[in-house]
């Protein structure tokens, strides 16, 4: 079923977190949906910058919405990290259920203005909007400096815009494949004191499971995962190609890697959504 309710806000109020997964084709999209159905939880399929370079948002919307409509659980289609207003509008018009305007690298006044303009357009189409304050570095391109979210700016974002969700920088880092980071919970608490918006954590693949459990007790309503699924798929595919050097059918080569992606997604979804024992 297509995502229509704001499950991120609901999760933030109920000590649960919606998992958002970066996907790159129908194979991993179906794997994530199957995992969500097994866990009976809502889930978000996210299109990042890399995916947008290989296929237009209109085509992604057509593909993913057709998969969502046949799902037994709510499946949302989310445009991740976008700085171009024109692309965001195209995504809204083509059927994405939520979009992200990333104004974290521009002055706060400009970020607030563009965020509000997009929010007004998105809400006319019943689309949810995510914004970002502070910067979350990308480890794969050598970025190291973390610009933590300013709690006062978070308050301004809530008061001056109609944004639905706010992505924050609290020690998280994008695309960590081999190491973990520590969330700065005191900073997160300061943000929550100033701002009541549902919060989003990017770079979740680099966060320890025990800290994810702690985040469920906060106002975080969504966490983004990408690297962990990509690494799971690639590691398994390499093993398959070594074990079957003469196989040339991608469907056969992908069988086991995609099954492993589904199991990894299931673990994450259940960890985020189900109640703690």
């Amino acid at each position: 079923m297509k995502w229509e309710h704001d499950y991120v806000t609901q999760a933030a109020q109920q000590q649960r977190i919606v998992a958002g997964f970066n996907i790159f084709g129908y194979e991993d999209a179906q794997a994530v949906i199957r995992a969500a159905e097994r866990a009976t939880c809502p889930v978000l399929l996210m299109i990042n910058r890399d995916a947008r370079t290989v296929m237009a948002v209109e085509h992604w919307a057509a593909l993913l919405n057709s998969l969502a409509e046949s799902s037994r659980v709510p499946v949302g289609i989310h445009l991740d990290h976008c700085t171009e207003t024109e692309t965001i509008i195209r995504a809204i018009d083509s059927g994405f259920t939520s979009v992200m305007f990333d104004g974290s690298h521009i002055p706060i006044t400009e970020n607030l203005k563009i965020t509000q303009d997009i929010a007004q357009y998105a809400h006319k189409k019943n689309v949810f909007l995510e914004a970002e304050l502070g910067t979350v570095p990308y480890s794969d391109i050598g970025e190291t400096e973390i610009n933590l979210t300013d709690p006062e700016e978070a308050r301004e974002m809530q008061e001056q815009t109609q944004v639905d969700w706010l992505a924050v920088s609290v020690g998280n880092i994008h695309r960590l494949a081999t190491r973990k980071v520590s969330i700065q919970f005191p900073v997160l608490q300061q943000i929550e004191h100033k701002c009541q918006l549902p919060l989003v954590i990017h770079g979740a693949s680099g966060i320890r499971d025990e800290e994810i459990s702690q985040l469920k007790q906060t106002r975080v309503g969504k966490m983004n995962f990408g690297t962990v699924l990509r690494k799971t798929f690639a590691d398994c595919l390499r093993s398959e190609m070594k074990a079957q050097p003469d196989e040339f059918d991608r469907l056969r080569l992908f069988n086991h890697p995609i099954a492993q992606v589904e199991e990894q997604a299931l673990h994450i979804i259940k960890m985020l959504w189900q109640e703690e024992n």
Side-chain angles (χ1 to χ4, degrees), residues 210 216 227:
E210 55 268 28
K216 290 173 68 176
T227 300

Side-chain angles (χ1 to χ4, degrees), residues 222-273:
K222 170 175 170 273
M223 293 185 72
N224 291 8
F225 294 83
T227 300
V228 64
L229 294 194
R230 295 167 85 170
K231 191 172 188 305
T232 296
F233 176 82
D235 289 347
C236 189
L237 180 60
R238 274 189 288 270
S239 296
E240 286 294 293
M241 295 182 73
K242 289 178 181 178
Q244 305 181 67
D246 297 326
E247 182 58 75
F248 58 85
D249 190 317
R250 61 174 272 170
L251 294 178
R252 294 194 185 100
L253 286 171
F254 280 18
N255 276 337
H256 188 52
I258 290 299
Q260 292 301 109
V261 167
E262 180 179 337
E263 293 303 317
Q264 185 65 254
L266 177 64
H267 165 73
I268 292 169
I269 292 168
K270 292 172 70 173
M271 175 173 58
L272 295 186
W273 192 263

Side-chain angles (χ1 to χ4, degrees), residues 56-69 77 94-96:
V57 292
E58 291 83 1
H59 300 308
W60 280 117
L63 170 64
L64 300 181
N65 274 314
S66 67
L67 295 176
E69 287 167 2
I77 315 301
S94 62
F96 277 70

Side-chain angles (χ1 to χ4, degrees), residues 149 151 168-170 183-195 199-201 214-215 217-220:
T149 300
V168 293
S169 174
V170 287
I183 295 297
Q184 299 191 29
F185 283 96
V187 176
L188 183 59
Q189 291 170 354
Q190 293 172 25
I191 295 168
E192 290 185 318
H193 180 68
K194 296 286 186 177
C195 169
L199 303 178
V200 179
I201 299 293
Q214 285 182 257
L215 287 169
Q217 312 305 313
T218 70
R219 206 174 296 119
V220 171

Side-chain angles (χ1 to χ4, degrees), residues 148-212:
L148 297 174
T149 300
D150 185 329
E152 281 297 328
E153 290 186 352
R155 178 186 60 78
E156 292 178 37
M157 181 66 77
Q158 177 176 333
E159 292 179 353
Q160 297 184 33
T161 77
Q162 296 169 290
V163 71
D164 299 289
W165 317 326
L166 179 62
V168 293
S169 174
V170 287
N172 39 318
I173 298 176
H174 288 111
R175 300 185 178 181
L176 286 177
T178 59
R179 68 184 180 92
K180 297 295 183 180
V181 296
S182 294
I183 295 297
Q184 299 191 29
F185 283 96
V187 176
L188 183 59
Q189 291 170 354
Q190 293 172 25
I191 295 168
E192 290 185 318
H193 180 68
K194 296 286 186 177
C195 169
Q196 285 69 54
L197 288 169
L199 303 178
V200 179
I201 299 293
H202 290 238
S205 295
I207 300 172
R208 297 176 180 85
D209 287 0
E210 55 268 28
E211 291 202 348
I212 290 177

Side-chain angles (χ1 to χ4, degrees), residues 30-163:
Q30 287 181 317
V32 168
I33 291 174
R34 287 194 298 267
E37 289 177 333
R38 290 168 63 187
T40 62
C41 299
V43 72
L44 278 167
L45 304 178
M46 305 192 305
I47 302 305
N48 73 359
R49 296 168 182 167
D50 295 338
R52 296 199 301 274
T53 64
V54 298
M55 195 160 75
V57 292
E58 291 83 1
H59 300 308
W60 280 117
L63 170 64
L64 300 181
N65 274 314
S66 67
L67 295 176
E69 287 167 2
S70 62
S71 171
R72 298 192 302 272
V73 296
V75 176
I77 315 301
H78 180 75
L79 181 72
D80 193 28
H81 280 293
C82 193
T83 58
E84 306 89 22
T85 302
E86 182 266 340
T87 303
I88 294 173
I89 297 302
R90 285 170 47 213
I92 293 170
D93 290 344
S94 62
F96 277 70
T97 54
S98 57
V99 294
M100 178 188 184
F101 169 63
D102 183 356
S104 59
H105 295 280
I106 60 177
I108 179 64
T109 52
E110 188 177 353
N111 189 353
L112 293 173
K113 182 183 184 307
I114 297 174
T115 297
Q116 175 58 7
D117 290 343
I118 295 173
Q120 290 178 331
Y121 187 82
H123 292 164
K124 291 178 182 177
K125 301 294 186 77
N126 296 317
V127 172
F128 302 105
L129 175 64
E130 176 182 337
E132 180 168 331
L133 288 170
T135 54
V136 180
Y138 283 81
S139 64
D140 59 326
I141 59 174
E143 292 180 353
T144 57
E145 184 177 352
I146 299 175
N147 178 23
L148 297 174
T149 300
D150 185 329
E152 281 297 328
E153 290 186 352
R155 178 186 60 78
E156 292 178 37
M157 181 66 77
Q158 177 176 333
E159 292 179 353
Q160 297 184 33
T161 77
Q162 296 169 290
V163 71

